[in-house]
């Protein structure tokens, strides 16, 4: 479940533009002064929505391309390598879609595609691997076997099919019989179908642009959610920094343990946050009188991506390094920076940790 920000009232939404002590577009009584900033706000929101549309379209296209590549995945080590590299491109793109995902706030049915696309943190890697191995070794039609659970046709499942668990390339290639190849294709096609649903929503639904106050509050909500989950789920739990797994690091808890793409995924999430700032969100914060808060966020994102760039090996092989703890600490600071931004906007933050971790 998302971390929810409870907005006190409709009036509170308008207070996004107050900025208690800053010079902004709010006159204290009648909202934005004679529409002085309205065009700037609309322009920024249009730019932000264009970013969401671009990321969704790119990810959908990459899923389609991967499905085509997988038709030849069992031919040679080069074909397998190409498919694995395309998988990384897909993951990197999807993390940007996921990090800024707002579609579910406008249509309840849009809660489903992200749930069907990935199963990180809802099922353990070992559980899913065991179930997929039974399917791969079985005799039921592969399409029927995979249709039993959505998790069997997800990005999480495809990662195992393409990478195994710590398997050498030659060993993995030898396991790519017709059944495993067909499983990979079915998974990629299902992934593409779910991404198509997201892409079509962003292409056809304009609700985001119709109410600026609601759109801004939803975006901030999503940024807090993304920062928290990146810190706790994608770094803290694997590295043993959280209360639940304190001093018990285990790479198997990482989001992309099988492919060793965990660090790349985190960097893509941070890149999505940067892209959002550059696509109009920073301008909205400045209009709202939160210049110092948004600049602190901007600086922290640069620091975080620098840490990622300086980690020379995979996250799995670096869990006990000081850089990983620095990454965790800075992600916590980023979350706090977003909280400061919320306070500057006069929002009230109500954090709900549904799983009790």
């Amino acid at each position: 479940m998302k971390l929810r920000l409870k907005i006190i009232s409709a009036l509170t939404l308008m207070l996004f533009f107050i900025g208690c002590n800053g010079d902004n577009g709010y006159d204290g009584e009648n909202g934005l002064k004679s529409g002085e900033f309205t065009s700037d706000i609309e322009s920024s929101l249009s730019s932000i929505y264009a970013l969401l549309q671009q990321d969704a379209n790119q990810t959908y296209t990459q899923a389609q391309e991967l499905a085509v590549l997988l038709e030849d995945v069992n031919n040679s080590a080069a074909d397998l390598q190409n498919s694995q590299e395309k998988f990384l491109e897909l993951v990197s793109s999807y993390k940007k879609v996921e990090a800024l995902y707002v579609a579910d706030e406008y249509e309840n049915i849009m809660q489903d595609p992200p749930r069907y696309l990935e199963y990180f943190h809802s099922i353990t890697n070992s559980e899913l691997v065991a179930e997929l191995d039974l399917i791969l070794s079985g005799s039921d039609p592969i399409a029927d076997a995979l249709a039993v659970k959505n998790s069997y046709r997800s990005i999480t499942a495809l990662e195992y099919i393409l990478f195994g668990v710590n398997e050498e390339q030659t060993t993995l290639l030898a396991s790519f019989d017709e059944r495993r190849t067909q499983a990979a294709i079915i998974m990629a096609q299902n992934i593409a179908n779910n991404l198509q649903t997201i892409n079509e929503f962003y292409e056809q639904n304009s609700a985001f642009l119709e109410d600026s106050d609601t759109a801004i509050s939803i975006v901030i909500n999503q940024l807090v959610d993304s920062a928290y989950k990146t810190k706790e789920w994608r770094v803290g739990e694997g590295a043993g920094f959280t209360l639940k797994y304190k001093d018990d690091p285990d790479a198997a808890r990482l989001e992309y343990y099988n492919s060793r793409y965990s660090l790349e995924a985190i960097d893509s999430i941070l890149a999505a946050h940067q892209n959002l700032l550059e696509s109009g969100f920073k301008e909205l914060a400045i209009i709202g009188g939160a210049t110092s808060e948004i600049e602190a966020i901007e600086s922290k994102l640069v620091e975080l991506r620098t840490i990622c760039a300086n980690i020379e090996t995979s996250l799995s092989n670096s869990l006990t390094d000081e850089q990983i703890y620095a990454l965790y600490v800075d992600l916590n600071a980023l979350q706090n920076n977003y909280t400061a931004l919320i306070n500057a906007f006069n929002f009230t933050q109500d954090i709900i940790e549904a799983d009790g971790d």
Side-chain angles (χ1 to χ4, degrees):
M1 180 179 292
K2 283 186 177 180
L3 311 177
R4 296 294 179 187
L5 304 180
K6 186 181 294 181
I7 308 305
I8 295 178
S9 66
L11 177 61
T12 307
L13 287 172
M14 288 299 298
L15 291 177
F16 169 87
F17 303 105
I18 290 180
C20 296
N21 299 313
D23 181 13
N24 52 55
Y26 188 82
D27 68 3
E29 295 180 0
N30 302 314
L32 299 180
K33 298 176 185 175
S34 303
E36 180 180 353
F37 292 93
T38 301
S39 62
D40 292 335
I41 294 165
E42 291 177 349
S43 176
S44 293
L45 287 175
S46 293
S47 181
I48 288 171
Y49 205 58
L51 173 67
L52 303 185
Q53 292 172 321
Q54 174 186 310
D55 288 344
N57 183 262
Q58 181 179 21
T59 308
Y60 170 50
T61 299
Q62 288 175 340
Q64 291 177 303
E65 292 172 351
L66 177 57
V68 173
L69 275 179
L70 289 172
E71 294 177 2
D72 298 321
V73 69
N74 60 347
N75 286 349
S76 67
D79 289 325
L80 176 57
Q81 181 69 29
N82 289 338
S83 296
Q84 290 174 334
E85 290 173 356
K86 177 58 71 174
F87 178 84
L88 173 57
E89 292 179 12
L90 172 65
V91 163
S92 296
S93 290
Y94 179 63
K95 289 298 102 176
K96 294 177 181 177
V97 173
E98 183 185 50
L100 305 180
Y101 192 69
V102 301
D104 56 338
E105 296 289 348
Y106 292 97
E107 289 187 9
N108 287 337
I109 196 171
M110 294 306 297
Q111 296 175 12
D112 291 337
R115 292 173 179 171
Y116 298 157
L117 279 164
E118 288 196 308
Y119 286 81
F120 170 62
H121 213 260
S122 63
I123 184 172
T124 67
N125 184 68
S126 59
E127 288 172 339
L128 184 58
V129 166
E131 292 174 11
L132 290 173
D133 280 345
L134 285 175
I135 290 173
L136 292 174
S137 62
S139 57
D140 292 341
I142 189 65
D144 294 342
L146 293 176
V148 172
K149 291 184 180 180
N150 288 305
S151 60
Y152 296 162
R153 294 168 289 149
S154 63
I155 292 174
T156 315
L158 182 57
E159 182 199 21
Y160 170 63
I161 295 296
L162 287 178
F163 294 88
V165 179
N166 299 321
E167 292 182 38
E168 295 292 334
Q169 200 84 335
T170 52
T171 304
L172 186 61
L173 185 62
S175 70
F176 262 95
D177 55 13
E178 182 178 354
R179 189 171 178 84
R180 191 176 187 121
T181 302
Q182 287 301 310
I185 294 171
I186 290 169
M187 291 171 186
Q189 291 172 338
N190 185 70
I191 291 164
N193 289 340
N194 281 297
L195 290 169
Q196 182 180 17
T197 300
I198 295 173
N199 186 48
E200 289 177 350
F201 171 88
Y202 283 127
E203 286 182 345
Q204 300 169 9
N205 191 300
S206 61
F208 183 86
L209 302 174
E210 294 169 2
D211 185 336
S212 61
D213 294 330
T214 298
I216 292 164
S217 69
I218 287 172
V219 169
I220 299 174
N221 179 27
Q222 183 59 25
L223 288 170
V224 175
D225 180 68
S226 176
Y228 171 82
K229 288 178 180 176
T230 303
K231 177 192 72 173
E232 294 294 297
W233 294 8
R234 296 181 170 92
V235 178
E237 292 192 355
F241 300 145
T242 62
L243 181 62
K244 185 175 182 178
Y245 299 108
K246 185 172 177 57
D247 299 326
D248 179 28
D250 186 350
R253 297 190 204 108
L254 296 175
E255 185 169 19
Y256 294 101
Y257 168 65
N258 296 325
S259 62
R260 298 296 194 266
Y261 285 162
S262 301
L263 185 61
E264 289 86 347
I266 291 169
D267 186 63
S268 288
I269 291 168
L270 297 170
H273 287 224
Q274 283 185 323
N275 293 343
L276 180 73
L277 265 62
E278 295 167 1
S279 296
F281 190 73
K282 180 179 180 180
E283 182 179 358
L284 289 174
I286 292 172
I287 292 172
T291 300
S292 62
E293 288 82 2
I294 201 67
E295 287 180 348
I297 290 168
E298 189 175 41
S299 176
K300 187 57 62 178
L301 287 168
V302 171
E303 290 179 23
L304 282 161
R305 295 199 70 194
T306 299
I307 292 174
C308 289
N310 289 334
I311 297 173
E312 297 180 353
T313 184
S314 69
L315 193 59
S316 294
N317 295 332
S318 309
L319 287 181
T320 58
D321 291 357
E322 291 183 3
Q323 287 177 308
I324 307 306
Y325 184 67
L327 182 64
Y328 180 79
V329 169
D330 267 13
L331 283 167
N332 186 64
L334 178 66
Q335 183 183 341
N336 290 336
N337 287 340
Y338 282 129
T339 298
L341 183 64
I342 291 164
N343 293 335
F345 290 168
N346 291 303
F347 284 158
T348 296
Q349 181 178 349
D350 182 20
I351 297 180
I352 302 172
E353 299 180 28
D355 59 5
D357 291 347

